[in-house]
Amino acid sequence: MRYEQMEVWQRSKQLSAAVYRELKELRDFGFKDQITRSALSIPSNIAEGFERYSEREKFRFASIAKGSCGEFATQTLIGIEVGYIPEPVGQHWRSEAMVISRMLGSLLKALAARPRN
């Protein structure tokens, strides 16, 4: 299966695009850079892993993507707290990040069950 066909990649790509759109006017460039990077890291690492040849590398990059979900969810909470992200938007992003994280957890379990090469 191509990564573009995977729901987890599609949802994480949509989330990343939403973050970029919502924060395009934010002037705190340090925060904006960090949160957009963590959001972008999720679909990017899924894609990179699935373009690799070995199951070990697929697992590694899916694991990195899962870690980026946690990073993004934390940054979203901070963004809400400091007033950069409207609470309803941020709560939606966190909810979506948690769904994506669970999907990645399931993907990691499936990859761990396969023979590694």
Side-chain angles (χ1 to χ4, degrees), residues 20-37:
Y20 272 87
R21 282 191 300 271
E22 180 70 29
L23 299 179
K24 69 181 175 190
E25 303 297 325
L26 182 64
R27 297 180 60 79
D28 182 337
F29 299 111
F31 179 83
K32 182 165 118 177
D33 181 61
Q34 191 67 36
I35 195 169
T36 54
R37 281 174 177 261

Side-chain angles (χ1 to χ4, degrees), residues 21-102:
R21 282 191 300 271
E22 180 70 29
L23 299 179
K24 69 181 175 190
E25 303 297 325
L26 182 64
R27 297 180 60 79
D28 182 337
F29 299 111
F31 179 83
K32 182 165 118 177
D33 181 61
Q34 191 67 36
I35 195 169
T36 54
R37 281 174 177 261
S38 64
L40 185 61
S41 176
I42 303 165
S44 298
N45 277 293
I46 294 167
E48 185 167 358
F50 276 78
E51 285 295 319
R52 303 288 179 126
Y53 289 106
S54 74
E55 295 302 308
R56 182 180 308 270
E57 288 183 303
K58 285 182 177 87
F59 185 92
R60 180 172 156 252
F61 282 96
S63 180
I64 292 167
K66 187 166 175 24
S68 293
C69 280
E71 181 181 1
F72 172 76
T74 297
Q75 292 162 353
T76 299
L77 270 179
I78 294 166
I80 292 168
E81 191 168 318
V82 299
Y84 291 164
I85 302 168
E87 186 157 356
V89 171
Q91 291 305 334
H92 172 73
W93 288 356
R94 282 184 45 78
S95 174
E96 188 64 10
M98 294 302 102
V99 169
I100 291 167
S101 181
R102 285 191 298 276

